[in-house]
Amino acid sequence: MVSQLESAMDSLIKVFHTYSSKEGDKYKLSKAEMKSLLQGELSDFLAASKDPLVVEKIINDLDQNRDGEVDFHEFVILVAALTVACNDFFVECMKN
Amino acid sequence: MVSQLESAMDSLIKVFHTYSSKEGDKYKLSKAEMKSLLQGELSDFLAASKDPLVVEKIINDLDQNRDGEVDFHEFVILVAALTVACNDFFVECMKN
């Protein structure tokens, strides 16, 4: 029996590889793959931003080793940061 | 329509608060709550370790600000590290 937490971790890995396997290095997201992932999986977050360059900026911020691609570790940092932000928002709402 | 990634992020928040709300500070995991979370959600990981003090060690490692509790940010760091380790294992299996 897979727990809710294990299922969530499994989803993070599956989502990444669904997009990373489309072209080039199967285990890294190219800029096009990352853009596709952001648009397919986080469209509500993108819609909340008024910045037309938001996708480009996220990719540049994530690509810590400057190889023009996003590996799984870099991807998880984005997800962790977004989830912490969502949790902070949720906790603020609960407290007020 | 919630995406698979959004659903996974939602699960991380829900799992944390399911356990953190049991006693004391509703938004932080006490040592007992963290132990309960690890045993309830990551029992396979714990079973793989032969160290009887593994839960205690994880909690001490996570508690970066040394307040004896684990906040959501500290929890997400654990999940991120475990997920990266799982992904590395998965990728190695795929390559071999």
Side-chain angles (χ1 to χ4, degrees):
Chain A
M1 179 68 184
V2 177
S3 72
Q4 189 175 12
L5 182 55
E6 286 166 342
S7 175
M9 291 163 63
D10 186 55
S11 289
L12 297 183
I13 294 172
K14 280 189 179 145
V15 165
F16 180 87
H17 291 283
T18 297
Y19 291 86
S20 73
S21 62
K22 288 183 179 174
E23 62 175 25
D25 187 331
K26 281 200 298 181
Y27 305 109
K28 290 184 178 176
L29 294 164
S30 66
K31 285 198 178 186
E33 287 167 342
M34 185 68 200
K35 190 170 184 173
S36 176
L37 186 157
L38 290 170
Q39 288 170 337
E41 299 287 330
L42 294 170
S43 55
D44 290 343
F45 282 89
L46 297 181
S49 169
K50 305 293 182 210
D51 185 348
L53 296 175
V54 63
V55 172
E56 195 72 20
K57 286 179 181 173
I58 290 173
I59 294 170
N60 285 337
D61 283 348
L62 284 182
D63 181 22
Q64 294 183 332
N65 60 3
R66 299 283 163 228
D67 65 353
E69 297 186 304
V70 173
D71 64 24
F72 187 75
H73 191 199
E74 292 163 340
F75 166 72
V76 164
I77 291 170
L78 168 70
V79 174
L82 285 176
T83 311
V84 167
C86 287
N87 180 70
D88 288 349
F89 181 75
F90 166 73
V91 169
E92 274 309 303
C93 290
M94 291 293 289
K95 284 182 176 173
N96 295 326
Chain B
M1 179 68 184
V2 176
S3 72
Q4 189 176 11
L5 181 56
E6 286 166 342
S7 175
M9 292 164 62
D10 186 53
S11 289
L12 297 183
I13 294 172
K14 279 189 180 144
V15 165
F16 180 87
H17 290 284
T18 297
Y19 291 87
S20 73
S21 62
K22 287 183 180 173
E23 63 175 26
D25 187 331
K26 281 199 299 181
Y27 305 109
K28 290 183 179 177
L29 294 164
S30 66
K31 284 198 179 186
E33 287 167 343
M34 186 66 200
K35 191 170 183 175
S36 175
L37 186 157
L38 289 170
Q39 288 170 337
E41 299 288 329
L42 293 170
S43 55
D44 290 343
F45 282 89
L46 297 182
S49 169
K50 306 293 183 210
D51 185 347
L53 296 175
V54 63
V55 171
E56 195 72 19
K57 286 180 181 173
I58 290 173
I59 294 171
N60 285 337
D61 283 349
L62 283 181
D63 182 21
Q64 294 183 330
N65 60 4
R66 298 283 164 230
D67 65 352
E69 298 187 304
V70 173
D71 64 24
F72 187 75
H73 191 199
E74 292 163 339
F75 166 72
V76 164
I77 290 171
L78 168 70
V79 175
L82 286 176
T83 311
V84 167
C86 288
N87 181 69
D88 288 349
F89 181 76
F90 167 74
V91 168
E92 275 309 304
C93 290
M94 291 294 289
K95 284 181 175 173
N96 295 327

